[in-house]
Amino acid sequence: MFRGELLKLTTTAATKVALAVGVLGLVATQLVLVVLLPALASGTIGPGADALGDDLPASGVATASAQLASLSPLGASGGGGSLSIAALAVLVLGVLAGTTDYRFGGIVPTALAEPRRGRILAAKVGATAVTGLVLGAAYAIVSLVALLVSLPATGTTLEIGIPDIAAVMARGTGVVALLALLGLGIGVLARSQLAGVLIMLGAVVLELMTQGVAVLATGAWPLWGQALPLTLSQAAIGSTPSEIPSLVALAGLAGWVALILAAATVAIRRRDL
């Protein structure tokens, strides 16, 4: 069943589009934010930061923290509580993985071949996790290449060690897989592809709006706001400052995924197909 679910993911046009959009969106993001803007700021391209003045956004890869931030597999702009094209594509991929069988009627023959519905969901989880890990590794390589291209383009040197690079890339790959599973759980609960995508987008927008209102009302970023899935994903990668340690954030994100998948397990066992 695992190979069957993996075949569905790798041969369905919608999932291929989601994968392509995620990779191309990340390439475009990193080229602009990690390569082009720092090169403009350093004067390698164009008249330099002094001539451009306030028209040039603050950017650079000269410091260790900036280089770590640029390595995020979700994109250099994906600060805490924000949403990047790469993250959105992964979530949509998960929703598609959870709803394709319902859309095309494949869930019925699948259930006839394997009446134990828990095993059906387990196969979907395994296939989605493997796909997410592969996609996460591709994201991480894109971000690393962008940083390596940016260093000579801006005349700076690498300020972080190989262990730091490997740690960010490994955690980022795991985060991408967890986000795909989060989308899968939402998709199984929704069953409809349109409903699943809308629910996912609604949850994402609600998280961003809730955090924005909380910051405006209190003047600070509340701890509960940092425990929401999108923000935990950034904290787990560890490329941006956060009050929550990376491994704790990774465990918290895994907890959200386990909660959603547990609800999906109950739903797929009890309702009609």
Side-chain angles (χ1 to χ4, degrees), residues 75-151:
S77 63
S82 66
L83 179 66
S84 65
I85 296 175
L88 184 61
V90 171
L91 289 167
V92 170
L93 173 70
V95 172
L96 294 176
T99 56
T100 298
D101 267 352
Y102 291 100
R103 180 183 180 188
F104 297 105
I107 190 67
V108 174
T110 300
L112 291 173
E114 176 50 81
R116 290 168 292 186
R117 298 183 184 180
R119 294 193 66 179
I120 296 175
L121 183 59
K124 291 183 180 297
V125 168
T128 305
V130 170
T131 306
L133 287 173
V134 173
L135 183 60
Y139 279 3
I141 292 172
V142 168
S143 295
L144 176 61
V145 170
L147 174 61
L148 295 179
V149 171
S150 180
L151 294 178

Side-chain angles (χ1 to χ4, degrees), residues 26-63:
L26 181 62
V27 169
T29 299
Q30 298 301 82
L31 281 177
V32 172
L33 298 180
V34 179
V35 179
L36 180 58
L37 290 181
L40 284 171
S42 67
T44 307
I45 301 175
D50 293 337
L52 293 173
D54 295 336
D55 294 333
L56 182 67
S59 60
V61 291
T63 64

Side-chain angles (χ1 to χ4, degrees), residues 160-271:
I160 52 180
I162 292 178
D164 292 328
I165 295 174
V168 170
M169 293 178 68
R171 290 196 298 268
T173 300
V175 165
V176 171
L178 288 173
L179 290 179
L181 292 176
L182 193 65
L184 171 69
I186 293 173
V188 172
L189 288 171
R191 292 200 285 189
S192 163
Q193 284 192 353
L194 179 59
V197 171
L198 290 177
I199 290 172
M200 183 270 294
L201 290 177
V204 166
V205 172
L206 182 62
E207 176 177 337
L208 299 180
M209 290 180 60
T210 302
Q211 290 182 341
V213 171
V215 171
L216 287 175
T218 64
W221 199 1
L223 186 59
W224 61 263
Q226 299 180 47
L228 297 176
L230 280 182
T231 310
L232 282 177
S233 67
Q234 294 295 337
I237 294 172
S239 58
T240 56
S242 175
E243 296 180 16
I244 302 178
S246 299
L247 294 181
V248 175
L250 191 63
L253 181 61
W256 277 104
V257 172
L259 182 64
I260 297 297
L261 288 179
T265 302
V266 173
I268 201 172
R269 283 179 172 172
R270 292 190 175 183
R271 68 189 176 194

